[in-house]
């Protein structure tokens, strides 16, 4: 291994061994080098095909996570629910968990123990967690926090294309698209290195259309920005298709040759005339025409969605409406064309493929399909009858915690739901009602603070494992440094617990061994990893799934010849616009939408502990238009209280003309009294069970007396 010299985030020179790996955060999974020398670690650029050496501020400062003072290095136990956490040995902690699980299941049945995973866990962890739930615990009650991120795009992709892979093409295809329509994604802040593809597209003469209620950093780079009312995406998509139809821009030969179901969509979009869509969405008729003509007349075009349309109570419909548009224009299944979802969480793609979803077995197999069950039972060496059936989605699972007939003991891995779940005050009360809560994490997150047992785990650069990025490219994260004494990997924890629970099946704890089993379990499934090996990933800068066998080249571009449905044709789905579950009224007169800022990742449990990132974005805030703020008597940096039907939160006001006058925006990265998820609406999409994070009705008031007392004062502090 070569040695090089670089400067760390505090400008100290570090000379040492170089390990090629990937960033710990988002789904772009930027390639980076880690340089380590006797405990000092620095990030250095790495020429990797997706980020081409670029990193955002989060990536550059990621090494600070490894030496953070707040790192957990010993198991913690709470002896009684009112008491404090104390240090314990691993044996004591694991014995206690096994005993509690056994007692709970004897008393209430197998389903009284639940598991919640995360979209940031490696493929190996996701796979073993799913196996642990079904084989060691025999519970159906498992789901993961990716349910709150990409589940609607996944469900829509499955319905329309037969296979859910976020981007069916590599990022390098983006510059070749003449027009790109990006709905509800702020790439410039959330995935800055990805902007180079959009910049290149426009340098080549391409056009970018952005749909967003805010003039985001990404919208500022667009040729056309449609500043729609939150929750009206399906109306806009249908309106664009209505105009394209009227202007003769549809590709009828593509519709005839490669799709089914167009006629029903034609009938539905006939009633989405531009003036009606303007009334619903606030997007001017002239802009609707301009967008429809741009995308309809282009020889190549892509339609990309992110959390904007995807985190709503009608979000599968929203995504299907955009897919309808792509199909009708013949902008799918061709080079430099297609619909794609910009996956957000680090392993948001792999995390939804290998069995931690309530309805799923590894390889994107279905737990309610007899052939799928029999195949996976064979790999696991269990009787197929012993496998539980489908469980409940993440919010539904959390909603039953501690209730009669619900989950009484919960194992939580890689998720900080007190900050990231909708209606967070309710979720906090449900967690408090549990008989027993176990959290495996490397920091004492807000959720870990509520646990009966906390297990300290290794983190990204201290363990091997694979991640699948937003392109469907399987990547290798390598162990670059030794973990601190006293921590264990999630795989070791699952293996040790399975043994203590008397499980006879094998639970390997080495990442490579788990991946070999995952390859077998996924063989023949939709997400087939059987041809992917650690060696191939390293030699080929990642391998795209499906990859059916070691001689298979991997599949960078999907759907060029056929879609993933049984007949190879994509499916249209007629979609009617329906308003969000809540719209403003006299009591709650504004829309509230939520999202991210550049400095932080998800619940902020990691990024809030990195000095430069905390300094860049130290506290929760709400963005409000200056004219709206004047009406409420609010000036910039005033402390305000936001109230919805679920609770209230207190934060600073930031005045910005970049947001619609009727809308407030607040990022969700902080705990405590400024948690915006105390306010969000858990109205679920009927298909994907995605909560409506992006739209609810809210009231804003200035707090005059500087006493930020709030009805929903949280029992745990955020930091
Ligand atoms: Fe890249 Fe995302 Fe990491 Fe930033 S946070 S460096 S965009 S992987």
């Amino acid at each position: 291994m070569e040695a090089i010299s670089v400067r760390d985030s505090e400008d100290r020179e570090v000379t040492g061994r170089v390990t090629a790996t990937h960033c710990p955060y988002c789904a772009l999974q930027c390639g980076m080098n880690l340089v380590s020398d006797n405990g000092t670690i620095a990030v250095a650029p790495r020429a990797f095909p997706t980020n081409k050496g670029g990193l955002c501020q989060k990536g550059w400062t990621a090494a600070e996570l490894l030496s953070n003072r707040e790192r957990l290095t010993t198991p913690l136990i709470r002896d009684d629910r009112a008491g404090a956490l104390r240090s314990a040995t691993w044996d004591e902690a694991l014995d206690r968990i096994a005993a509690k699980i056994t007692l709970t299941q004897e008393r209430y049945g197998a389903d009284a123990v639940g598991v919640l995973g995360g979209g940031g866990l490696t493929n190996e962890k996701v796979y073993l967690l799913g196996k642990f739930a079904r084989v060691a615990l025999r519970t159906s009650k498992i789901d993961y926090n990716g349910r709150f991120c990409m589940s609607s795009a996944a469900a829509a992709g499955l319905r329309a294309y037969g296979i859910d892979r976020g981007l069916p093409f590599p990022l390098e295809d983006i510059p070749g698209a003449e027009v790109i329509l990006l709905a509800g994604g702020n790439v410039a802040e959330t995935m800055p290195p990805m902007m180079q593809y959009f910049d290149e597209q426009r340098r080549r003469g391409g056009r970018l259309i952005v749909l967003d209620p805010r003039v985001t950093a990404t919208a500022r780079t667009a040729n056309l920005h449609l500043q729609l009312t939150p929750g009206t995406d399906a109306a806009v998509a249908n309106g664009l298709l209505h105009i394209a139809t009227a202007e003769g821009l549809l590709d009828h030969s593509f519709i005839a040759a490669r799709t089914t179901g167009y006629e029903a969509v034609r009938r539905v979009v006939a009633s989405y005339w531009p003036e009606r869509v303007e009334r619903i969405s606030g997007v001017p008729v002239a802009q609707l025409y301009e967008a429809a003509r741009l995308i309809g007349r282009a020889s190549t075009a892509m339609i990309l969605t992110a959390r904007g349309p995807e985190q709503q109570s009608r979000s599968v419909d929203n995504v299907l409406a955009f897919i309808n548009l792509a199909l009708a224009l013949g902008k799918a299944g061709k080079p430099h064309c297609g619909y794609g979802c910009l996956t957000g969480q680090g392993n948001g793609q792999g995390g939804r493929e290998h069995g931690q979803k309530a309805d799923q077995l590894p390889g994107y197999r279905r737990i309610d399909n007899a052939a799928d069950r029999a195949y996976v039972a064979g790999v696991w060496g269990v009787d197929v009858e012993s496998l539980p059936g489908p469980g409940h989605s993440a919010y539904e699972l959390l909603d039953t915690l501690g209730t009669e007939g619900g989950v009484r003991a919960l194992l939580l891995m890689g998720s900080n739901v007190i900050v990231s779940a909708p209606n967070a005050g309710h979720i906090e009360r449900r967690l408090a009602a549990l008989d027993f809560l176990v959290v495996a994490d490397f920091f004492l997150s807000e959720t870990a603070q509520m646990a009966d047992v906390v297990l300290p785990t290794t983190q990204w650069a201290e363990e091997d494992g694979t991640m699948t990025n937003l392109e469907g490219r399987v990547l290798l994260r390598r162990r670059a440094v030794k973990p601190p004494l006293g921590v264990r990997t999630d795989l070791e924890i699952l293996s040790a617990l399975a043994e203590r629970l008397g499980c006879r099946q094998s639970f390997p704890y080495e990442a490579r061994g788990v991946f070999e089993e995952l390859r077998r379990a996924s063989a023949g499934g939709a997400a087939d990893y059987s041809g992917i090996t650690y060696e191939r990933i390293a030699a080929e800068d990642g391998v795209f799934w499906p990859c059916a066998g070691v001689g298979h080249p991997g599949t960078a571009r999907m759907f060029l010849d056929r879609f993933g449905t049984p007949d190879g044709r994509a499916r249209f789905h007629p979609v009617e616009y329906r308003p969000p579950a809540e719209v403003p009224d006299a009591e709650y007169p504004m829309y509230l939408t939520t999202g991210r800022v550049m400095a932080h990742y998800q619940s902020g449990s990691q990024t809030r502990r990195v000095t430069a990132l905390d300094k860049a974005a130290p506290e929760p805030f709400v963005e409000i238009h200056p004219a709206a703020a004047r009406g409420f008597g609010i000036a910039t940096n005033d402390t305000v209280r936001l109230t919805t039907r679920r609770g209230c939160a207190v934060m600073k006001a930031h005045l910005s003309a970049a947001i619609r006058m009727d809308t407030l925006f607040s990022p969700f990265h902080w705990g405590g009294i400024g948690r915006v998820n105390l306010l969000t609406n858990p109205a679920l999409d009927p298909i994907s069970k995605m909560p409506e994070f992006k739209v609810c009705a809210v009231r804003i008031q200035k707090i005059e007396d500087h006493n930020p007392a709030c009805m929903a004062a949280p029992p745990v502090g955020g930091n």
Side-chain angles (χ1 to χ4, degrees):
M1 210 177 278
E2 61 170 322
I4 63 168
S5 289
V6 296
R7 305 202 80 78
D8 71 4
S9 58
E10 288 166 28
D11 207 28
R12 295 171 303 204
E13 182 162 329
V14 181
T15 304
R17 290 183 308 113
V18 180
T19 306
T21 189
H22 295 270
C23 174
Y25 302 116
C26 82
L28 197 52
Q29 282 297 292
C30 294
M32 60 166 59
N33 283 319
L34 279 181
V35 183
S36 66
D37 173 32
N38 280 331
T40 312
I41 308 148
V43 170
R46 173 184 173 203
F48 192 76
T50 50
N51 57 309
K52 299 180 180 170
L55 294 170
C56 75
Q57 191 185 15
K58 295 188 288 294
W60 283 118
T61 56
E64 199 179 316
L65 292 171
L66 299 164
S67 53
N68 195 283
R69 282 197 312 270
E70 294 182 55
R71 186 69 189 279
L72 295 174
T73 55
T74 181
L76 303 172
I77 282 182
R78 195 187 308 276
D79 288 314
D80 64 83
R81 295 233 82 184
L85 288 164
R86 63 165 174 84
S87 298
T89 65
W90 273 98
D91 278 342
E92 186 185 9
L94 293 170
D95 287 347
R96 180 166 304 195
I97 296 168
K100 274 287 189 182
I101 286 173
T102 305
L103 187 71
T104 303
Q105 293 192 316
E106 280 171 5
R107 195 172 286 171
Y108 302 106
D111 272 0
V113 176
V115 175
L116 195 79
L121 299 175
T122 63
N123 291 318
E124 290 80 354
K125 295 179 186 185
V126 165
Y127 170 80
L128 208 66
L129 194 62
K131 180 178 174 182
F132 178 79
R134 275 62 177 247
V135 175
L137 297 177
R138 304 173 322 284
T139 182
S140 69
K141 297 296 187 292
I142 175 170
D143 208 55
Y144 80 126
N145 68 11
R147 182 73 67 174
F148 300 155
C149 294
M150 285 73 58
S151 59
S152 291
L158 278 172
R159 278 173 159 66
Y161 290 169
I163 293 181
D164 155 40
R165 199 181 85 184
L167 290 180
F169 43 76
L171 292 173
E172 69 185 57
D173 285 5
I174 287 177
E178 221 173 272
V179 172
I180 295 172
L181 188 154
L182 170 59
N186 184 10
V187 178
E189 285 212 58
T190 56
M191 297 179 173
M194 191 172 160
M195 282 306 286
Q196 59 191 302
Y197 295 97
F198 294 103
D199 294 343
E200 174 62 20
Q201 183 248 359
R202 275 172 296 113
R203 257 197 304 278
R204 293 188 194 177
R207 302 297 180 93
L208 175 65
I209 306 166
V210 168
L211 264 79
D212 203 301
R214 302 164 61 220
V215 190
T216 61
T218 312
R220 275 195 285 276
T221 72
N223 303 90
L224 179 61
H225 174 210
L226 312 183
Q227 197 170 7
L228 78 175
T229 303
T232 61
D233 302 78
V236 173
N238 281 355
L240 295 178
L241 185 46
H242 176 103
I243 294 170
T245 308
E247 303 239 321
L249 299 174
L250 304 198
D251 185 339
H252 290 287
S253 56
F254 179 88
I255 293 170
R258 300 203 54 193
T259 72
T260 60
Y262 166 67
E263 190 50 31
V265 170
R266 186 191 65 73
R267 283 196 297 272
V268 164
V269 301
S271 64
Y272 287 80
W273 55 90
E275 292 74 13
R276 179 184 173 216
V277 173
E278 178 181 306
R279 274 199 303 281
I280 294 170
S281 69
V283 178
V285 166
Q287 288 188 355
L288 293 168
Y289 271 101
E290 191 181 349
R293 286 169 181 161
L294 272 175
I295 194 163
R297 289 174 183 166
S299 58
T300 54
M302 292 176 176
I303 297 179
L304 307 174
T305 64
R307 301 305 82 74
E310 294 172 21
Q311 288 181 320
Q312 297 179 27
S313 61
R314 292 282 170 180
S315 38
V316 174
D317 281 356
N318 287 343
V319 176
L320 286 171
F322 285 113
I323 293 177
N324 288 341
L325 180 62
L327 293 176
L329 296 174
K331 303 295 193 300
K334 298 175 182 173
H336 307 289
C337 288
Y339 161 76
C341 147
L342 299 183
T343 296
Q345 285 198 83
N347 198 25
Q349 180 68 56
R352 64 185 194 248
E353 297 166 359
H354 297 298
Q356 63 174 341
K357 277 175 86 173
D359 57 355
Q360 192 191 64
L361 291 169
Y364 232 126
R365 288 187 157 90
R366 291 193 59 88
I367 204 162
D368 58 2
N369 176 288
D372 287 353
R373 289 170 64 85
Y375 179 80
V376 174
V379 174
W380 287 348
V382 297
D383 179 354
V384 68
E385 296 302 323
S386 72
L387 291 179
H392 291 151
S393 72
Y395 188 82
E396 293 170 311
L397 189 155
L398 292 167
D399 195 32
T400 71
L401 299 182
T403 60
E404 189 73 35
V407 165
R408 316 289 302 217
L410 180 71
L411 167 63
L412 210 149
M413 206 165 249
S415 189
N416 186 14
V417 288
I418 282 196
V419 177
S420 62
N423 197 12
H426 172 68
I427 297 306
E428 193 173 324
R429 289 187 287 278
R430 297 274 36 99
L431 286 167
L434 280 168
D435 296 342
F436 192 61
L437 173 64
V438 182
V439 174
D441 208 329
F442 36 86
F443 292 125
L444 196 63
S445 69
E446 285 80 359
T447 309
Q449 289 173 43
M450 294 191 72
D452 298 284
V453 178
V454 181
L455 301 174
T457 61
T458 48
Q459 52 170 317
W460 118 97
E462 298 161 352
E463 57 187 15
D464 289 331
T466 60
M467 306 282 281
T468 306
N469 80 351
L470 78 177
E471 307 167 284
R473 187 193 302 251
V474 184
L475 308 167
L476 186 57
R477 272 196 196 161
R478 295 171 185 278
R479 176 174 148 140
V481 295
K482 264 195 199 156
L485 279 177
V487 308
R488 294 191 185 178
T489 68
D490 291 313
L491 300 178
E492 288 170 331
I493 290 168
L494 294 173
S495 183
L497 283 175
E499 189 185 333
R500 275 172 169 76
L501 291 167
C503 184
R504 291 199 307 277
Q505 280 66 34
S506 108
F507 275 82
Y509 55 83
E510 296 276 7
R512 186 184 280 264
V514 178
F515 191 74
E516 290 305 311
E517 195 179 302
L518 182 159
R519 289 176 61 203
R520 288 199 301 283
S522 73
D528 189 332
Y529 281 38
S530 61
I532 303 175
T533 63
Y534 278 21
E535 287 72 23
R536 274 192 74 177
I537 298 173
E540 299 173 26
D541 280 341
V543 181
F544 290 85
W545 72 259
C547 182
V550 285
H552 192 287
T555 313
R557 293 171 183 84
M558 303 179 81
F559 312 140
L560 293 181
D561 302 319
R562 66 192 313 279
F563 292 96
T565 53
D567 62 7
R569 288 168 174 259
R571 306 274 189 266
F572 279 97
H573 291 265
V575 167
E576 289 283 6
Y577 159 74
R578 310 231 187 271
E582 261 182 22
V583 290
D585 55 20
E587 207 178 342
Y588 302 99
M590 303 283 282
Y591 287 102
L592 173 67
T593 191
T594 65
R596 289 179 45 195
V597 296
M598 187 188 284
H600 290 299
Y601 175 67
Q602 299 300 96
S603 79
S605 175
Q606 297 168 85
T607 50
R608 281 182 276 131
R609 290 176 164 90
V610 174
T611 315
L613 302 179
D614 181 53
K615 207 167 155 190
E619 60 182 1
F621 66 88
V622 59
E623 197 173 282
I624 180 170
H625 193 282
R630 259 197 310 281
F632 294 110
I634 292 167
T636 207
N637 279 329
D638 276 352
T639 302
V640 294
R641 178 186 292 122
L642 304 185
T643 309
T644 68
R645 290 180 176 85
R646 287 147 300 278
C648 59
V650 174
M651 56 190 78
K652 288 279 172 61
H654 287 187
L655 272 54
S656 168
I659 190 159
R660 291 174 56 94
M661 295 242 313
D662 58 3
T663 304
L664 307 177
F665 164 79
S666 179
F668 67 94
H669 309 294
W670 293 271
I673 204 164
R675 254 183 304 172
V676 75
N677 274 323
L678 290 166
L679 310 172
T680 45
N681 191 349
L684 302 182
D685 180 274
I687 298 164
S688 67
K689 309 295 180 184
M690 169 71 81
E692 192 145 70
F693 288 100
K694 284 292 187 246
V695 201
C696 68
V698 66
R699 180 166 71 236
I700 183 168
Q701 295 159 290
K702 180 176 173 178
I703 294 182
E704 300 284 359
D705 56 7
H706 301 287
N707 171 13
C710 181
M711 290 185 296
V716 292
N719 57 349

